[in-house]
Amino acid sequence: MRKKKAFRSLALLMALCMIVASFVGCSPKETPLTIWVGVESVDFYTAKMAEYVENYKVKTGKAFPYLISVQGVDTGSAAAKVLDDLDAGADIFTIAHDNLGKLTAGASAIAPIRSEALLAQINADNPETFLNVIDMSVQGTKYTFGVPYIAQSLVLMYNKKYLTEEDVKTWEGILAVAKKNNKQSVSLMGADGFNNSFLTLAINESTGKMPAIIYEGGETDNCLFTSDETVAIMQWGQRFFTDKNGGKMPTDSGWEIELRDEVSLSLIGGAWKFNAAKAALGDNLGIAVLPSFTLTAEDVKGTNIKAGTVYRSGSFTDCKVFVMKKGSNKAEYLEDILLFLSSKEVQEQSFIECANLPAYKNAATEFSSMQADNLETVLAAKQLEMFNYGIPQPFGFSTTLNFYYYSKGAPDLIREILENKESLFGTTDAIRTQLKSIENIWKTGER
């Protein structure tokens, strides 16, 4: 608590210094070097940049040539703000990695990373899944544009009053407890292609492979959602969601009330819903990786998949990245700042102060802060575990991919299968046909 108060005090002092400096002329006449981060992280990164400025002076013997302004901006809207007015954009700003495509389309609104030291740190510190989504091609040449520093994935948040750690290892275990207590097994945050992706992205536990192929290599046509494995997974999913004690699609009451009133025993959710889940369940909140499930003879009918095959529920495992505005008149200083802000040391401090999950690949084992005995640490650890059962959203290579996957009706078609809408999808052939329509939408935007 003292550390957080100290950071807030330092942030206010820095802000005051900037205001005073602008009036007394003790700083350059240039506009400040601006950095956009999530609103929840402004005080922390303001304090870290004060530290950077002090270190710069010690290292070079000179004052840093610009004032620095750290501002809070919604991560989801930062890319749009820059595209609307490049001149008004920050010198460094945070985006979700799948926004890189829209920022590098055409002439590109962001600058590539050229510093050998920064490129080396990026390659050494990040998992392969992140390295695969931060490079973009501009006019036929591939560059690294994003600097990962925060990670996130879906996890299971559950009611410990009913469920044990053993129960939540499998959906079958959760379903058995739900039947015993006349509850529903799980609520979903949403029926969209992100929040309802745990079956779409399921992993075969034996092979470690995901049957679904979604824009592999950034190619629009490189999709597959019609394999026998996918058919069997969806048949299991239909059995689970049509069971009165199984999965629960979003309702008007909302998942928070369903957890609080013990209608549902668990939630598939992200860290950004942690506080709401904690408010609903209090001391009964538990957190686990998404459960596995085992196919039965009923689930594998009409396929060549064997009954007893085990799958692990999957997740999109994403990163937030720093990027640099193209054409910044402070470009010579930006990469060294990013080297500092994305370092594993600063990532750990960000986790301690802001609960930001590190992107650093060895955080779970190397960061002493992640060994602490509290629920926030469990949340971080379980998210990191989910990186073994997921992929980053593969939509950053082109704005078309995001649009086709999320906005052309495919999520609704998946929901129709799972709920067996109007009893139209009770046969293997009907499910196959629907899966082909989903695959076509991913590829072309049309059924």
Side-chain angles (χ1 to χ4, degrees):
M1 186 60 70
R2 289 178 182 173
K3 287 184 179 179
K4 291 186 179 180
K5 288 182 178 177
F7 277 124
R8 293 191 189 100
S9 298
L10 188 51
L12 292 173
L13 182 61
M14 286 287 292
L16 180 60
C17 178
M18 288 183 64
I19 294 170
V20 172
S22 66
F23 282 97
V24 302
C26 63
S27 64
K29 295 179 182 179
E30 306 283 353
T31 56
L33 189 156
T34 307
I35 301 173
W36 288 351
V37 297
V39 176
E40 71 287 348
S41 303
V42 171
D43 287 356
F44 172 76
Y45 286 104
T46 297
K48 296 314 294 180
M49 287 312 300
E51 179 183 325
Y52 177 87
V53 167
E54 184 62 30
N55 290 342
Y56 181 91
K57 186 175 182 179
V58 171
K59 185 166 59 176
T60 66
K62 301 176 183 178
F64 191 75
Y66 297 100
L67 293 172
I68 296 175
S69 175
V70 179
Q71 302 171 5
V73 175
D74 175 64
T75 303
S77 63
K81 285 178 178 288
V82 171
L83 291 172
D84 287 343
D85 187 353
L86 183 59
D87 291 335
D91 299 288
I92 293 171
F93 56 99
T94 300
I95 61 167
H97 78 268
D98 58 315
N99 282 320
L100 284 170
K102 65 179 69 173
L103 288 166
T104 55
S108 181
I110 54 178
I113 307 297
R114 298 189 183 278
S115 161
E116 291 185 6
L118 181 54
L119 287 170
Q121 180 171 288
I122 290 170
N123 287 318
D125 287 359
N126 289 282
E128 194 70 26
T129 52
F130 289 175
L131 297 178
N132 290 336
V133 296
I134 57 175
D135 292 349
M136 295 291 141
S137 293
V138 176
Q139 297 178 349
T141 303
K142 182 180 287 188
Y143 303 95
T144 298
F145 285 94
V147 185
Y149 76 110
I150 292 175
Q152 59 188 22
S153 67
L154 294 172
V155 293
L156 188 79
M157 301 181 189
Y158 66 94
N159 191 334
K160 294 193 297 183
K161 177 180 174 182
Y162 295 92
L163 296 168
T164 67
E165 290 183 5
E166 188 65 28
D167 294 329
V168 299
K169 289 180 179 179
T170 67
W171 286 117
E172 288 83 3
I174 295 172
L175 181 60
V177 175
K179 285 184 175 297
K180 180 179 178 180
N181 294 278
N182 196 27
K183 309 289 185 182
Q184 292 223 237
S185 295
V186 64
S187 288
L188 299 185
M189 287 198 302
D192 56 272
F194 182 92
N195 290 301
N196 184 24
S197 60
F198 76 108
L199 296 177
T200 300
L201 305 175
I203 301 282
N204 185 308
E205 286 273 45
S206 296
T207 66
K209 294 182 179 180
M210 180 183 296
I213 296 175
I214 307 173
Y215 305 126
E216 192 168 84
E219 298 295 329
T220 308
D221 287 338
N222 206 352
C223 297
L224 175 65
F225 203 52
T226 53
S227 70
D228 275 3
E229 282 192 284
T230 299
V231 172
I233 288 168
M234 288 297 155
Q235 290 184 157
W236 180 93
Q238 185 181 102
R239 186 166 58 83
F240 183 63
F241 275 94
T242 55
D243 190 305
K244 69 174 184 177
N245 300 113
K248 190 174 184 63
M249 288 289 177
T251 63
D252 291 339
S253 63
W255 64 264
E256 295 98 330
I257 294 174
E258 291 164 5
L259 283 188
R260 185 198 68 194
D261 293 349
E262 301 181 350
V263 173
S264 289
L265 298 182
S266 65
L267 166 78
I268 296 175
W272 54 97
K273 297 299 186 183
F274 170 72
N275 288 331
K278 194 171 184 179
L281 293 179
D283 292 339
N284 286 323
L285 175 61
I287 300 172
V289 295
L290 296 182
S292 65
F293 56 95
T294 302
L295 301 182
T296 66
E298 183 179 353
D299 304 324
V300 301
K301 64 184 180 184
T303 75
N304 62 7
I305 307 303
K306 294 181 179 179
T309 305
V310 180
Y311 292 85
R312 171 73 59 177
S313 303
S315 169
F316 283 122
T317 51
D318 293 336
C319 60
K320 292 182 181 180
V321 300
F322 282 124
V323 293
M324 304 180 296
K325 179 175 72 173
K326 184 179 179 181
S328 168
N329 62 353
K330 307 169 185 68
E332 64 182 293
Y333 301 99
L334 302 185
E335 289 177 310
D336 192 61
I337 290 173
L338 291 179
L339 187 70
F340 172 70
L341 291 182
S342 64
S343 66
K344 57 186 178 183
E345 293 80 12
V346 174
Q347 286 191 43
E348 180 169 19
Q349 293 164 16
S350 177
F351 170 67
I352 294 169
E353 296 298 328
C354 309
N356 288 327
L357 180 67
Y360 177 53
K361 64 183 179 182
N362 297 326
T365 55
E366 292 184 15
F367 288 178
S368 59
S369 59
M370 297 191 75
Q371 314 309 317
D373 185 18
N374 57 53
L375 203 54
E376 288 78 6
T377 301
V378 175
L379 173 63
K382 297 307 178 184
Q383 285 184 90
L384 290 173
E385 278 189 63
M386 281 305 302
F387 276 73
N388 297 315
Y389 304 103
I391 58 171
Q393 292 182 76
F395 314 121
F397 302 98
S398 165
T399 53
T400 300
L401 309 186
N402 186 296
F403 185 55
Y404 284 178
Y405 180 83
Y406 284 113
S407 303
K408 296 296 287 184
D412 295 332
L413 300 190
I414 291 174
R415 180 172 182 171
E416 288 179 1
I417 293 175
L418 297 178
E419 294 184 313
N420 193 15
K421 182 180 179 181
E422 298 177 357
S423 300
L424 293 174
F425 304 98
T427 67
T428 303
D429 286 344
I431 290 174
R432 283 187 186 279
T433 300
Q434 186 88 325
L435 291 175
K436 182 60 179 175
S437 295
I438 294 165
E439 185 181 299
N440 288 340
I441 289 173
W442 289 355
K443 291 178 177 179
T444 68
E446 303 291 336
R447 298 179 62 164

PDB file of all heavy atoms in Angstrom, residues 378-404:
ATOM      1  N   VAL A 378      -2.807 -16.258  -8.025  1.00  0.00           N
ATOM      2  CA  VAL A 378      -3.435 -17.448  -8.625  1.00  0.00           C
ATOM      3  C   VAL A 378      -4.018 -17.100  -9.990  1.00  0.00           C
ATOM      4  O   VAL A 378      -3.863 -17.851 -10.960  1.00  0.00           O
ATOM      5  CB  VAL A 378      -4.533 -18.012  -7.702  1.00  0.00           C
ATOM      6  CG1 VAL A 378      -5.270 -19.161  -8.386  1.00  0.00           C
ATOM      7  CG2 VAL A 378      -3.936 -18.486  -6.384  1.00  0.00           C
ATOM      8  N   LEU A 379      -4.681 -15.951 -10.078  1.00  0.00           N
ATOM      9  CA  LEU A 379      -5.245 -15.506 -11.353  1.00  0.00           C
ATOM     10  C   LEU A 379      -4.158 -15.403 -12.424  1.00  0.00           C
ATOM     11  O   LEU A 379      -4.331 -15.872 -13.549  1.00  0.00           O
ATOM     12  CB  LEU A 379      -5.938 -14.148 -11.169  1.00  0.00           C
ATOM     13  CG  LEU A 379      -6.434 -13.457 -12.438  1.00  0.00           C
ATOM     14  CD1 LEU A 379      -7.507 -14.288 -13.124  1.00  0.00           C
ATOM     15  CD2 LEU A 379      -6.975 -12.059 -12.109  1.00  0.00           C
ATOM     16  N   ALA A 380      -3.042 -14.795 -12.056  1.00  0.00           N
ATOM     17  CA  ALA A 380      -1.940 -14.651 -13.010  1.00  0.00           C
ATOM     18  C   ALA A 380      -1.391 -16.011 -13.428  1.00  0.00           C
ATOM     19  O   ALA A 380      -1.179 -16.274 -14.615  1.00  0.00           O
ATOM     20  CB  ALA A 380      -0.833 -13.805 -12.390  1.00  0.00           C
ATOM     21  N   ALA A 381      -1.183 -16.879 -12.450  1.00  0.00           N
ATOM     22  CA  ALA A 381      -0.604 -18.191 -12.743  1.00  0.00           C
ATOM     23  C   ALA A 381      -1.510 -19.019 -13.646  1.00  0.00           C
ATOM     24  O   ALA A 381      -1.034 -19.694 -14.575  1.00  0.00           O
ATOM     25  CB  ALA A 381      -0.336 -18.931 -11.435  1.00  0.00           C
ATOM     26  N   LYS A 382      -2.807 -18.976 -13.399  1.00  0.00           N
ATOM     27  CA  LYS A 382      -3.739 -19.761 -14.209  1.00  0.00           C
ATOM     28  C   LYS A 382      -3.844 -19.209 -15.629  1.00  0.00           C
ATOM     29  O   LYS A 382      -3.997 -19.975 -16.595  1.00  0.00           O
ATOM     30  CB  LYS A 382      -5.108 -19.824 -13.542  1.00  0.00           C
ATOM     31  CG  LYS A 382      -5.114 -20.518 -12.179  1.00  0.00           C
ATOM     32  CD  LYS A 382      -4.473 -21.895 -12.232  1.00  0.00           C
ATOM     33  CE  LYS A 382      -4.429 -22.554 -10.865  1.00  0.00           C
ATOM     34  NZ  LYS A 382      -3.729 -23.858 -10.903  1.00  0.00           N
ATOM     35  N   GLN A 383      -3.762 -17.888 -15.760  1.00  0.00           N
ATOM     36  CA  GLN A 383      -3.748 -17.320 -17.112  1.00  0.00           C
ATOM     37  C   GLN A 383      -2.519 -17.810 -17.870  1.00  0.00           C
ATOM     38  O   GLN A 383      -2.603 -18.190 -19.043  1.00  0.00           O
ATOM     39  CB  GLN A 383      -3.741 -15.794 -17.043  1.00  0.00           C
ATOM     40  CG  GLN A 383      -5.072 -15.172 -16.658  1.00  0.00           C
ATOM     41  CD  GLN A 383      -4.988 -13.663 -16.705  1.00  0.00           C
ATOM     42  OE1 GLN A 383      -5.244 -13.043 -17.733  1.00  0.00           O
ATOM     43  NE2 GLN A 383      -4.612 -13.061 -15.587  1.00  0.00           N
ATOM     44  N   LEU A 384      -1.376 -17.777 -17.208  1.00  0.00           N
ATOM     45  CA  LEU A 384      -0.150 -18.224 -17.862  1.00  0.00           C
ATOM     46  C   LEU A 384      -0.217 -19.703 -18.229  1.00  0.00           C
ATOM     47  O   LEU A 384       0.270 -20.106 -19.291  1.00  0.00           O
ATOM     48  CB  LEU A 384       1.053 -17.945 -16.958  1.00  0.00           C
ATOM     49  CG  LEU A 384       1.420 -16.466 -16.795  1.00  0.00           C
ATOM     50  CD1 LEU A 384       2.507 -16.292 -15.743  1.00  0.00           C
ATOM     51  CD2 LEU A 384       1.878 -15.864 -18.123  1.00  0.00           C
ATOM     52  N   GLU A 385      -0.832 -20.514 -17.366  1.00  0.00           N
ATOM     53  CA  GLU A 385      -1.014 -21.932 -17.703  1.00  0.00           C
ATOM     54  C   GLU A 385      -1.838 -22.101 -18.966  1.00  0.00           C
ATOM     55  O   GLU A 385      -1.604 -23.016 -19.770  1.00  0.00           O
ATOM     56  CB  GLU A 385      -1.697 -22.672 -16.549  1.00  0.00           C
ATOM     57  CG  GLU A 385      -0.778 -23.108 -15.428  1.00  0.00           C
ATOM     58  CD  GLU A 385      -1.495 -24.025 -14.444  1.00  0.00           C
ATOM     59  OE1 GLU A 385      -1.909 -25.122 -14.851  1.00  0.00           O
ATOM     60  OE2 GLU A 385      -1.654 -23.608 -13.280  1.00  0.00           O
ATOM     61  N   MET A 386      -2.829 -21.213 -19.141  1.00  0.00           N
ATOM     62  CA  MET A 386      -3.692 -21.312 -20.316  1.00  0.00           C
ATOM     63  C   MET A 386      -2.942 -21.044 -21.618  1.00  0.00           C
ATOM     64  O   MET A 386      -3.439 -21.367 -22.700  1.00  0.00           O
ATOM     65  CB  MET A 386      -4.880 -20.357 -20.192  1.00  0.00           C
ATOM     66  CG  MET A 386      -5.995 -20.865 -19.298  1.00  0.00           C
ATOM     67  SD  MET A 386      -6.634 -22.497 -19.765  1.00  0.00           S
ATOM     68  CE  MET A 386      -7.163 -22.219 -21.454  1.00  0.00           C
ATOM     69  N   PHE A 387      -1.744 -20.487 -21.516  1.00  0.00           N
ATOM     70  CA  PHE A 387      -0.967 -20.254 -22.734  1.00  0.00           C
ATOM     71  C   PHE A 387      -0.515 -21.569 -23.370  1.00  0.00           C
ATOM     72  O   PHE A 387      -0.091 -21.592 -24.522  1.00  0.00           O
ATOM     73  CB  PHE A 387       0.222 -19.345 -22.430  1.00  0.00           C
ATOM     74  CG  PHE A 387      -0.137 -17.895 -22.447  1.00  0.00           C
ATOM     75  CD1 PHE A 387      -0.891 -17.344 -21.419  1.00  0.00           C
ATOM     76  CD2 PHE A 387       0.232 -17.085 -23.501  1.00  0.00           C
ATOM     77  CE1 PHE A 387      -1.252 -16.012 -21.435  1.00  0.00           C
ATOM     78  CE2 PHE A 387      -0.138 -15.748 -23.526  1.00  0.00           C
ATOM     79  CZ  PHE A 387      -0.882 -15.209 -22.499  1.00  0.00           C
ATOM     80  N   ASN A 388      -0.618 -22.666 -22.625  1.00  0.00           N
ATOM     81  CA  ASN A 388      -0.354 -23.981 -23.205  1.00  0.00           C
ATOM     82  C   ASN A 388      -1.556 -24.496 -23.990  1.00  0.00           C
ATOM     83  O   ASN A 388      -1.460 -25.512 -24.680  1.00  0.00           O
ATOM     84  CB  ASN A 388      -0.023 -24.988 -22.097  1.00  0.00           C
ATOM     85  CG  ASN A 388       1.239 -24.629 -21.348  1.00  0.00           C
ATOM     86  OD1 ASN A 388       2.245 -24.281 -21.955  1.00  0.00           O
ATOM     87  ND2 ASN A 388       1.197 -24.714 -20.021  1.00  0.00           N
ATOM     88  N   TYR A 389      -2.690 -23.805 -23.861  1.00  0.00           N
ATOM     89  CA  TYR A 389      -3.944 -24.271 -24.470  1.00  0.00           C
ATOM     90  C   TYR A 389      -4.619 -23.152 -25.246  1.00  0.00           C
ATOM     91  O   TYR A 389      -5.825 -22.969 -25.160  1.00  0.00           O
ATOM     92  CB  TYR A 389      -4.890 -24.805 -23.385  1.00  0.00           C
ATOM     93  CG  TYR A 389      -4.293 -25.904 -22.547  1.00  0.00           C
ATOM     94  CD1 TYR A 389      -3.829 -25.644 -21.267  1.00  0.00           C
ATOM     95  CD2 TYR A 389      -4.167 -27.197 -23.048  1.00  0.00           C
ATOM     96  CE1 TYR A 389      -3.261 -26.657 -20.495  1.00  0.00           C
ATOM     97  CE2 TYR A 389      -3.599 -28.213 -22.292  1.00  0.00           C
ATOM     98  CZ  TYR A 389      -3.155 -27.933 -21.021  1.00  0.00           C
ATOM     99  OH  TYR A 389      -2.585 -28.920 -20.259  1.00  0.00           O
ATOM    100  N   GLY A 390      -3.831 -22.407 -26.005  1.00  0.00           N
ATOM    101  CA  GLY A 390      -4.456 -21.329 -26.753  1.00  0.00           C
ATOM    102  C   GLY A 390      -3.562 -20.748 -27.822  1.00  0.00           C
ATOM    103  O   GLY A 390      -2.408 -21.151 -27.988  1.00  0.00           O
ATOM    104  N   ILE A 391      -4.112 -19.789 -28.538  1.00  0.00           N
ATOM    105  CA  ILE A 391      -3.382 -19.064 -29.570  1.00  0.00           C
ATOM    106  C   ILE A 391      -3.723 -17.590 -29.446  1.00  0.00           C
ATOM    107  O   ILE A 391      -4.817 -17.228 -29.010  1.00  0.00           O
ATOM    108  CB  ILE A 391      -3.746 -19.555 -30.990  1.00  0.00           C
ATOM    109  CG1 ILE A 391      -5.262 -19.402 -31.243  1.00  0.00           C
ATOM    110  CG2 ILE A 391      -3.278 -20.986 -31.213  1.00  0.00           C
ATOM    111  CD1 ILE A 391      -5.676 -19.652 -32.680  1.00  0.00           C
ATOM    112  N   PRO A 392      -2.805 -16.707 -29.817  1.00  0.00           N
ATOM    113  CA  PRO A 392      -3.174 -15.290 -29.898  1.00  0.00           C
ATOM    114  C   PRO A 392      -4.219 -15.094 -30.997  1.00  0.00           C
ATOM    115  O   PRO A 392      -4.236 -15.846 -31.981  1.00  0.00           O
ATOM    116  CB  PRO A 392      -1.857 -14.600 -30.267  1.00  0.00           C
ATOM    117  CG  PRO A 392      -0.788 -15.581 -29.938  1.00  0.00           C
ATOM    118  CD  PRO A 392      -1.396 -16.935 -30.151  1.00  0.00           C
ATOM    119  N   GLN A 393      -5.071 -14.118 -30.822  1.00  0.00           N
ATOM    120  CA  GLN A 393      -6.045 -13.844 -31.877  1.00  0.00           C
ATOM    121  C   GLN A 393      -5.297 -13.590 -33.188  1.00  0.00           C
ATOM    122  O   GLN A 393      -4.483 -12.664 -33.261  1.00  0.00           O
ATOM    123  CB  GLN A 393      -6.887 -12.623 -31.515  1.00  0.00           C
ATOM    124  CG  GLN A 393      -7.811 -12.855 -30.332  1.00  0.00           C
ATOM    125  CD  GLN A 393      -8.668 -11.649 -30.032  1.00  0.00           C
ATOM    126  OE1 GLN A 393      -9.634 -11.372 -30.736  1.00  0.00           O
ATOM    127  NE2 GLN A 393      -8.314 -10.929 -28.974  1.00  0.00           N
ATOM    128  N   PRO A 394      -5.567 -14.380 -34.211  1.00  0.00           N
ATOM    129  CA  PRO A 394      -4.782 -14.287 -35.455  1.00  0.00           C
ATOM    130  C   PRO A 394      -5.369 -13.294 -36.445  1.00  0.00           C
ATOM    131  O   PRO A 394      -5.415 -13.552 -37.650  1.00  0.00           O
ATOM    132  CB  PRO A 394      -4.864 -15.714 -35.994  1.00  0.00           C
ATOM    133  CG  PRO A 394      -6.230 -16.165 -35.581  1.00  0.00           C
ATOM    134  CD  PRO A 394      -6.500 -15.516 -34.241  1.00  0.00           C
ATOM    135  N   PHE A 395      -5.832 -12.164 -35.946  1.00  0.00           N
ATOM    136  CA  PHE A 395      -6.562 -11.229 -36.807  1.00  0.00           C
ATOM    137  C   PHE A 395      -5.786  -9.953 -37.122  1.00  0.00           C
ATOM    138  O   PHE A 395      -6.270  -9.091 -37.836  1.00  0.00           O
ATOM    139  CB  PHE A 395      -7.899 -10.853 -36.150  1.00  0.00           C
ATOM    140  CG  PHE A 395      -8.661 -12.022 -35.614  1.00  0.00           C
ATOM    141  CD1 PHE A 395      -8.995 -12.103 -34.277  1.00  0.00           C
ATOM    142  CD2 PHE A 395      -9.020 -13.064 -36.443  1.00  0.00           C
ATOM    143  CE1 PHE A 395      -9.690 -13.190 -33.769  1.00  0.00           C
ATOM    144  CE2 PHE A 395      -9.708 -14.168 -35.950  1.00  0.00           C
ATOM    145  CZ  PHE A 395     -10.044 -14.231 -34.606  1.00  0.00           C
ATOM    146  N   GLY A 396      -4.584  -9.820 -36.552  1.00  0.00           N
ATOM    147  CA  GLY A 396      -3.837  -8.581 -36.731  1.00  0.00           C
ATOM    148  C   GLY A 396      -3.239  -8.393 -38.104  1.00  0.00           C
ATOM    149  O   GLY A 396      -2.816  -7.294 -38.450  1.00  0.00           O
ATOM    150  N   PHE A 397      -3.183  -9.458 -38.886  1.00  0.00           N
ATOM    151  CA  PHE A 397      -2.530  -9.362 -40.188  1.00  0.00           C
ATOM    152  C   PHE A 397      -3.362  -8.591 -41.206  1.00  0.00           C
ATOM    153  O   PHE A 397      -2.840  -8.073 -42.177  1.00  0.00           O
ATOM    154  CB  PHE A 397      -2.253 -10.775 -40.727  1.00  0.00           C
ATOM    155  CG  PHE A 397      -1.411 -11.610 -39.808  1.00  0.00           C
ATOM    156  CD1 PHE A 397      -1.979 -12.527 -38.942  1.00  0.00           C
ATOM    157  CD2 PHE A 397      -0.033 -11.452 -39.791  1.00  0.00           C
ATOM    158  CE1 PHE A 397      -1.201 -13.287 -38.084  1.00  0.00           C
ATOM    159  CE2 PHE A 397       0.765 -12.215 -38.940  1.00  0.00           C
ATOM    160  CZ  PHE A 397       0.175 -13.121 -38.080  1.00  0.00           C
ATOM    161  N   SER A 398      -4.685  -8.528 -40.964  1.00  0.00           N
ATOM    162  CA  SER A 398      -5.572  -7.836 -41.892  1.00  0.00           C
ATOM    163  C   SER A 398      -6.875  -7.488 -41.183  1.00  0.00           C
ATOM    164  O   SER A 398      -7.388  -8.292 -40.400  1.00  0.00           O
ATOM    165  CB  SER A 398      -5.871  -8.722 -43.113  1.00  0.00           C
ATOM    166  OG  SER A 398      -6.961  -8.238 -43.856  1.00  0.00           O
ATOM    167  N   THR A 399      -7.424  -6.318 -41.470  1.00  0.00           N
ATOM    168  CA  THR A 399      -8.702  -5.939 -40.866  1.00  0.00           C
ATOM    169  C   THR A 399      -9.831  -6.869 -41.325  1.00  0.00           C
ATOM    170  O   THR A 399     -10.818  -7.043 -40.618  1.00  0.00           O
ATOM    171  CB  THR A 399      -9.056  -4.495 -41.236  1.00  0.00           C
ATOM    172  OG1 THR A 399      -9.009  -4.339 -42.658  1.00  0.00           O
ATOM    173  CG2 THR A 399      -8.064  -3.527 -40.611  1.00  0.00           C
ATOM    174  N   THR A 400      -9.661  -7.482 -42.488  1.00  0.00           N
ATOM    175  CA  THR A 400     -10.685  -8.395 -43.013  1.00  0.00           C
ATOM    176  C   THR A 400     -10.876  -9.599 -42.095  1.00  0.00           C
ATOM    177  O   THR A 400     -12.007 -10.045 -41.865  1.00  0.00           O
ATOM    178  CB  THR A 400     -10.298  -8.874 -44.421  1.00  0.00           C
ATOM    179  OG1 THR A 400     -10.197  -7.745 -45.287  1.00  0.00           O
ATOM    180  CG2 THR A 400     -11.332  -9.847 -44.977  1.00  0.00           C
ATOM    181  N   LEU A 401      -9.792 -10.132 -41.557  1.00  0.00           N
ATOM    182  CA  LEU A 401      -9.868 -11.342 -40.748  1.00  0.00           C
ATOM    183  C   LEU A 401     -10.721 -11.129 -39.502  1.00  0.00           C
ATOM    184  O   LEU A 401     -11.571 -11.954 -39.173  1.00  0.00           O
ATOM    185  CB  LEU A 401      -8.456 -11.801 -40.346  1.00  0.00           C
ATOM    186  CG  LEU A 401      -7.420 -11.928 -41.465  1.00  0.00           C
ATOM    187  CD1 LEU A 401      -6.126 -12.520 -40.923  1.00  0.00           C
ATOM    188  CD2 LEU A 401      -7.950 -12.785 -42.607  1.00  0.00           C
ATOM    189  N   ASN A 402     -10.488 -10.044 -38.816  1.00  0.00           N
ATOM    190  CA  ASN A 402     -11.268  -9.719 -37.622  1.00  0.00           C
ATOM    191  C   ASN A 402     -12.745  -9.582 -37.964  1.00  0.00           C
ATOM    192  O   ASN A 402     -13.615 -10.102 -37.261  1.00  0.00           O
ATOM    193  CB  ASN A 402     -10.726  -8.420 -37.005  1.00  0.00           C
ATOM    194  CG  ASN A 402     -11.377  -8.082 -35.679  1.00  0.00           C
ATOM    195  OD1 ASN A 402     -12.576  -7.837 -35.617  1.00  0.00           O
ATOM    196  ND2 ASN A 402     -10.587  -8.019 -34.625  1.00  0.00           N
ATOM    197  N   PHE A 403     -13.030  -8.909 -39.056  1.00  0.00           N
ATOM    198  CA  PHE A 403     -14.412  -8.653 -39.483  1.00  0.00           C
ATOM    199  C   PHE A 403     -15.126  -9.953 -39.815  1.00  0.00           C
ATOM    200  O   PHE A 403     -16.257 -10.205 -39.367  1.00  0.00           O
ATOM    201  CB  PHE A 403     -14.407  -7.716 -40.684  1.00  0.00           C
ATOM    202  CG  PHE A 403     -15.774  -7.282 -41.137  1.00  0.00           C
ATOM    203  CD1 PHE A 403     -16.666  -6.689 -40.255  1.00  0.00           C
ATOM    204  CD2 PHE A 403     -16.163  -7.467 -42.453  1.00  0.00           C
ATOM    205  CE1 PHE A 403     -17.935  -6.282 -40.685  1.00  0.00           C
ATOM    206  CE2 PHE A 403     -17.419  -7.065 -42.887  1.00  0.00           C
ATOM    207  CZ  PHE A 403     -18.300  -6.478 -41.999  1.00  0.00           C
ATOM    208  N   TYR A 404     -14.474 -10.827 -40.581  1.00  0.00           N
ATOM    209  CA  TYR A 404     -15.099 -12.092 -40.958  1.00  0.00           C
ATOM    210  C   TYR A 404     -15.339 -12.979 -39.740  1.00  0.00           C
ATOM    211  O   TYR A 404     -16.402 -13.600 -39.608  1.00  0.00           O
ATOM    212  CB  TYR A 404     -14.213 -12.850 -41.953  1.00  0.00           C
ATOM    213  CG  TYR A 404     -14.236 -12.318 -43.369  1.00  0.00           C
ATOM    214  CD1 TYR A 404     -13.453 -12.893 -44.363  1.00  0.00           C
ATOM    215  CD2 TYR A 404     -15.034 -11.226 -43.727  1.00  0.00           C
ATOM    216  CE1 TYR A 404     -13.457 -12.425 -45.664  1.00  0.00           C
ATOM    217  CE2 TYR A 404     -15.040 -10.741 -45.030  1.00  0.00           C
ATOM    218  CZ  TYR A 404     -14.253 -11.344 -45.991  1.00  0.00           C
ATOM    219  OH  TYR A 404     -14.253 -10.875 -47.278  1.00  0.00           O
TER     220      TYR A 404
END
